[in-house]
Amino acid sequence: MAQERTPLVSVRGVSKHYGEGAARVDALKGVSIDIFPREVVALLGPSGSGKTTLLNVIGCIIDPSGGALDLDGERVFDNGKWLRDDLRRLRLEKIGFIFQAHNLLPFLDATDNVAVALELAGHSQSAARRRAVELLDYLEIGHRRDAMPAKLSGGEAQRVAIARALANSPRIILADEPTAALDSKRAQIVMELLRKLAAEQDASIIAVTHDEKIFGYFDRVCHLRDGVIEEETRVAPAGQSV
Amino acid sequence: MNLAWREIRHNSGRFVFTGVGLGLLLGVVLSMIGIYRGMVVDALTIARTPDVDLWVVEANSRGPFAESSRIPGDTREAVARMPGVTAAGSVTYQSVEATAGGRKMRLYVIGYEPGRPGGPAEIIVGRGLGRSHFEIVADRSSKLVPGDVVTFGRDRYTVVGLTAYHVSSGGDPAAFVTLRDAQQFQAELDPAAVRLQAARGAGSGSIDTVSAVIARLAPAASVEAVAAGIARWKHLSAIAQADQEAILTGSHIDRARRQIGLFTGLLLAVSAVVIALIIYTMTMEKLKQIATLKLIGAPDRTITAMIVQQALALGLIGFFMGWALIVAIKDIFPRRIVLDTDNVTQLGIVIVAVCLLASGLGVRAALKVDPATALGG
């Protein structure tokens, strides 16, 4: 059972508020959640429910107001402060990001869009390009390795973006509406790919989504409302590939 | 990989187009510098052409270029007999309206004694003055050619040769004539004026005056000692060559230098604002890309380097295009454009500094971008 293993992401009583006094807005109110290896989890909720804030906290992009955060077995936030000085490095090592609109750099071809993440992590240019080509081949997009983003279809671009997210072999992948810009057929392909990655890379995938058509690809769907996880729906046994 | 270069390559058309626009602006800056340098070089060329050590002029005058100077024509003999003087010549300088081929033109007429100091440094076409009267060696910027006839007052002069880069500090082409001819039409009056003078009982007076006597000294002679000796004649002053050049550059064309310097400074300020706006706009257009780069782990120095390198590339593209443009069209300008390597290098350094400053606005905007903005639509 996944729950018997050490969680890759452990959020404990995390809160986040903006402003003070009458202007204070509580985006997260003591949220706790564990996400295990090979688990694909959806964060669902209306606008302002706190799902993107939770994704940003897990991604070490914004400072929580309180609580604790463990990533890959390492406590990275506690007692109101980050325990790592270099959050950029932390993101490079542990987290991959997949964006709603793929966010590929328009001036780099598919290979270099992946290689840039590797070079930022310190790989040489040649090693980065080699690994990038491997990843593109793995995601069955190798034949488009020299294409510029403007020449890629939505599905192809999203697969290149996934390759970039996987470049430094992170075990935590955060996806912000990964299928929002895709038609239903391509959305299914991308979700199948993410499930495959979770299984083969022993990774956790956490996605913010509104797309009901893809709920079947998640192990759990966490419903957020007013900064708290109101309900968790277990869709499929954790770690099971569809 | 170099992100700045990759983006420039991807948007090469836009970059080159922007660079051309900037190049036109920087070309104007370069032309301003070139015009000023040209004025200095032109002024010094006229003063250096005789290749002398001392200028003997009217007492208390800074002539013959900065102020008018008129001394007796026989001063040359007295100066030539001074110990240490190896050669001396009388010269006159005056701007004159002339006519050639039905075309009016202003010429800077230099009268000198052939065989003595004061003539043109080099004849590039034709020959030097060979006869005592009615021949002229003109600067090629006058558009005259050998064989042309130039009318000064009632007399007609034939162009026998051409020089180059001999113009007055006002830009009038130089025209070398014999001293006697220069003195003649300097003193020549309109016939009606002659009749009026005669009716008033005034004599015609002597025309044997010159603007200056120039002297070459023996290598061992002291310029100061010879100058002091000449200054004992109360009606004369002696100016060393270096002082004559200082008068020309420091005083005579100083106002033009300040005018052009101010204009150049304004143009540089405009260039800086233009570069800053271009870089800022380019940065604002890619805020989402910058946020994405930050989110996937790009350090601030990578983002800063990308913007600064693009600003430098833009500035240098503009600088070299402006330089090429001015080199290509400098001969079309009515005044001489002189672009010394030193001046061009200095402007290049200024442009680099301007680009670094101008990129600050874009860098500031980029560093303030929250990586979280990469998430969400």
Side-chain angles (χ1 to χ4, degrees):
Chain A
M1 294 289 286
Q3 283 82 348
E4 292 166 0
R5 290 175 284 163
T6 307
L8 267 180
V9 177
S10 179
V11 178
R12 285 279 162 267
V14 163
S15 60
K16 173 67 184 175
H17 65 254
Y18 298 99
E20 292 295 340
R24 176 173 166 137
V25 175
D26 289 300
L28 293 175
K29 299 172 187 167
V31 171
S32 296
I33 184 173
D34 287 334
I35 299 160
F36 295 89
R38 301 189 179 196
E39 220 181 359
V40 182
V41 175
L43 301 178
L44 182 68
S47 179
S49 60
K51 55 188 189 305
T52 301
T53 306
L54 181 56
L55 200 72
N56 285 341
V57 166
I58 297 170
C60 307
I61 299 167
I62 60 171
D63 302 338
S65 305
L69 174 66
D70 292 4
L71 296 178
D72 201 6
E74 178 188 352
R75 174 130 315 178
V76 295
F77 184 88
D78 202 0
N79 290 326
K81 64 173 193 263
W82 293 100
L83 305 179
R84 287 271 297 252
D85 291 335
D86 192 351
L87 294 178
R88 179 190 71 82
R89 195 83 215 165
L90 179 69
R91 286 200 296 267
L92 258 176
E93 289 169 0
K94 296 190 183 296
I95 306 166
F97 292 91
I98 300 169
F99 307 95
Q100 181 176 336
H102 65 70
N103 287 23
L104 296 177
L105 299 175
F107 50 87
L108 299 180
D109 63 21
T111 306
D112 283 338
N113 257 291
V114 180
V116 70
L118 288 151
E119 285 192 38
L120 288 171
H123 294 262
S124 69
Q125 196 169 348
S126 56
R129 280 189 67 85
R130 252 195 326 273
R131 165 91 174 131
V133 169
E134 283 171 15
L135 279 165
L136 291 172
D137 287 338
Y138 172 65
L139 294 171
E140 298 172 7
I141 191 76
H143 62 289
R144 302 288 279 150
R145 69 179 65 155
D146 296 325
M148 300 304 282
K151 302 286 182 189
L152 296 171
S153 69
E156 288 172 337
Q158 198 59 303
R159 271 192 276 174
V160 175
I162 292 170
R164 180 177 63 187
L166 295 176
N168 292 307
S169 308
R171 293 190 64 206
I172 301 160
I173 295 169
L174 305 181
D176 180 40
E177 308 236 20
T179 59
L182 304 177
D183 58 40
S184 57
K185 188 181 168 197
R186 286 189 171 81
Q188 285 173 14
I189 292 169
V190 165
M191 286 313 298
E192 281 168 9
L193 191 56
L194 290 178
R195 282 209 65 90
K196 181 181 157 195
L197 288 174
E200 292 182 4
Q201 312 278 327
D202 202 28
S204 297
I205 295 176
I206 305 157
V208 166
T209 186
H210 288 106
D211 191 350
E212 293 179 8
K213 296 189 293 295
I214 61 167
F215 283 175
Y217 291 92
F218 292 99
D219 299 307
R220 272 191 287 162
V221 176
C222 300
H223 299 263
L224 279 91
R225 182 177 291 276
D226 297 329
V228 295
I229 296 177
E230 202 172 53
E231 183 190 352
E232 273 192 44
T233 311
R234 190 159 292 278
V235 180
Q240 180 186 316
S241 292
V242 174
Chain B
M1 74 188 71
N2 186 314
L3 295 174
W5 166 240
R6 300 299 286 273
E7 194 187 1
I8 290 171
R9 203 174 63 175
H10 182 65
N11 297 314
S12 55
R14 181 185 176 187
F15 251 89
V16 169
F17 195 66
T18 310
V20 168
L22 198 57
L24 291 172
L25 192 57
L26 295 178
V28 177
V29 175
L30 272 168
S31 70
M32 284 291 121
I33 294 169
I35 287 168
Y36 168 64
R37 287 297 307 154
M39 284 175 67
V40 172
V41 171
D42 282 346
L44 292 180
T45 300
I46 283 288
R48 285 174 180 169
T49 292
D51 188 22
V52 294
D53 302 301
L54 208 58
W55 293 72
V56 180
V57 297
E58 190 178 329
N60 304 317
S61 142
R62 297 196 306 158
F65 305 110
E67 289 179 306
S68 74
S69 163
R70 193 159 288 275
I71 58 176
D74 58 4
T75 305
R76 181 185 53 78
E77 282 83 10
V79 171
R81 284 195 295 272
M82 294 283 294
V85 174
T86 57
S90 296
V91 285
T92 62
Y93 296 93
Q94 59 189 315
S95 285
V96 171
E97 191 102 337
T99 310
R103 172 168 71 97
K104 288 252 182 203
M105 63 174 71
R106 275 183 71 79
L107 293 173
Y108 189 56
V109 174
I110 301 172
Y112 76 104
E113 301 165 284
R116 293 204 170 102
E122 187 187 5
I123 306 291
I124 58 165
V125 176
R127 60 170 174 82
L129 301 181
R131 289 164 48 189
S132 307
H133 293 289
F134 308 125
E135 285 188 346
I136 182 171
V137 170
D139 187 80
R140 67 178 173 188
S141 63
S142 66
K143 310 282 188 230
L144 294 169
V145 294
D148 280 354
V149 174
V150 182
T151 305
F152 291 112
R154 289 172 292 179
D155 298 321
R156 291 156 59 84
Y157 290 71
T158 303
V159 177
V160 295
L162 297 179
T163 62
Y165 302 128
H166 286 76
V167 299
S168 71
S169 57
D172 297 333
F176 291 88
V177 297
T178 62
L179 184 67
R180 281 290 155 218
D181 283 347
Q183 288 173 322
Q184 187 61 42
F185 66 72
Q186 198 169 19
E188 202 167 65
L189 289 170
D190 182 80
V194 172
R195 286 195 295 276
L196 181 65
Q197 292 277 38
R200 289 171 60 205
S204 58
S206 170
I207 66 164
D208 189 18
T209 60
V210 296
S211 301
V213 169
I214 48 182
R216 280 188 203 129
L217 304 186
S222 159
V223 174
E224 291 77 17
V226 176
I230 291 169
R232 276 199 289 273
W233 297 324
K234 299 298 183 193
H235 65 296
L236 298 176
S237 287
I239 302 170
Q241 175 67 23
D243 294 333
Q244 184 65 269
E245 292 179 12
I247 288 170
L248 275 166
T249 54
S251 159
H252 195 46
I253 56 173
D254 183 57
R255 186 165 292 177
R257 180 184 65 80
R258 280 186 282 145
Q259 180 96 345
I260 290 173
L262 186 64
F263 194 47
T264 306
L266 283 172
L267 282 171
L268 274 174
V270 170
S271 304
V273 170
V274 168
I275 294 172
L277 279 175
I278 292 170
I279 293 298
Y280 183 71
T281 307
M282 280 165 52
T283 306
M284 296 308 281
E285 283 174 0
K286 54 174 182 265
L287 285 185
K288 188 130 188 170
Q289 294 166 32
I290 290 168
T292 303
L293 277 167
K294 283 184 164 184
L295 199 58
I296 65 173
D300 284 349
R301 67 171 182 279
T302 301
I303 310 289
T304 303
M306 183 167 81
I307 294 166
V308 170
Q309 285 166 7
Q310 286 181 349
L312 285 174
L314 199 58
L316 291 176
I317 288 171
F319 172 69
F320 284 110
M321 284 197 171
W323 188 10
L325 175 75
I326 293 306
V327 168
I329 65 168
K330 68 185 170 75
D331 292 335
I332 299 171
F333 282 76
R335 289 298 304 260
R336 188 174 170 193
I337 304 280
V338 176
L339 286 175
D340 295 335
T341 310
D342 284 357
N343 295 131
V344 174
T345 307
Q346 281 165 8
L347 182 66
I349 292 167
V350 169
I351 295 298
V352 167
V354 162
C355 288
L356 290 175
L357 280 174
S359 62
L361 208 59
V363 168
R364 188 165 169 269
L367 295 184
K368 279 170 67 179
V369 172
D370 184 354
T373 55
L375 297 169

